[in-house]
Amino acid sequence: MASIFREVGETFSTLVQGFSVTFRNMFRKTVTENYPFEPVHFQPRYRGIHVLHRDESGLEKCVGCFLCAAACPANCIYIEAAENTDASRISAGERYASVYNIDYSRCIFCGYCVEACPTDAITHGHGFELATYDINSLIYRKEQLLEKQPVAPTAGR
Ligand code: SF4
Ligand code: SF4
């Protein structure tokens, strides 16, 4: 008998908890994004298309260490590393990523690659427009992910 009362009590409290969420949200102000006519507003922590960053001198932060690829549970990062030379310096480290691809048909936006990166070279941006009819175009190359080179200040400005 006691267990029946306990079960009824637990069910009642679970219902109250569940409906409290429903009722709280019923009276919240609704937010409608007028996409695609107006830009979408994101939470700062939103995980969108990755961005490969540059340092303050414009060099690529990625040093081709493969740690992000090793951490990726979806195995969707493909990197080829190459050596920097004095004549051609791409990153501040010994190596840089000559190829850096992310396959967005596999990426689950878990952020493990971002956490694994020792140089903060990769973060999630807010890009989200990935829909396509061609699965091959979901492989994003370094050129698409890399931050643009800062524009050198014009003399006399
Ligand atoms: S977000 Fe996750 S799944 Fe996507 S590339 Fe990074 S580690 Fe891989
Ligand atoms: S993005 Fe970061 S973790 Fe990945 S290869 Fe470049 S430096 Fe290493």
Side-chain angles (χ1 to χ4, degrees):
M1 195 68 176
S3 75
I4 292 176
F5 282 124
R6 199 178 54 242
E7 264 184 48
V8 170
E10 282 172 3
T11 307
F12 182 72
S13 98
T14 309
L15 280 171
V16 168
Q17 276 176 28
F19 277 114
S20 73
V21 175
T22 307
F23 286 123
R24 244 194 344 265
N25 282 290
M26 270 171 69
F27 298 107
R28 268 201 187 140
K29 189 170 165 272
T30 52
V31 180
T32 306
E33 296 283 351
N34 198 15
Y35 176 79
F37 305 107
E38 288 170 18
V40 183
H41 302 92
F42 290 99
Q43 294 295 322
R45 64 178 184 275
Y46 177 79
R47 293 182 193 153
I49 299 171
H50 297 81
V51 179
L52 290 173
H53 294 279
R54 295 178 182 276
D55 64 16
E56 51 291 341
S57 4
L59 293 172
E60 293 174 17
K61 281 188 170 183
C62 176
V63 293
C65 68
F66 294 86
L67 286 177
C68 52
C72 177
N75 202 17
C76 62
I77 302 180
Y78 176 79
I79 302 170
E80 286 177 17
E83 299 283 328
N84 284 301
T85 61
D86 289 338
S88 166
R89 176 153 291 281
I90 308 294
S91 77
E94 271 178 39
R95 299 195 298 173
Y96 69 98
S98 56
V99 176
Y100 194 108
N101 298 344
I102 298 182
D103 183 350
Y104 283 106
S105 68
R106 302 175 64 117
C107 176
I108 54 171
F109 296 90
C110 62
Y112 286 2
C113 51
V114 175
E115 283 174 36
C117 181
T119 62
D120 293 331
I122 186 165
T123 59
H124 283 283
H126 286 173
F128 69 99
E129 289 166 318
L130 280 163
T132 177
Y133 287 110
D134 175 16
I135 197 165
N136 295 315
S137 64
L138 285 175
I139 298 175
Y140 274 49
R141 299 180 192 287
K142 178 176 142 182
E143 294 70 27
Q144 292 162 279
L145 301 168
L146 189 62
E147 242 180 3
K148 298 278 168 281
Q149 188 71 259
V151 183
T154 320
R157 255 212 274 170

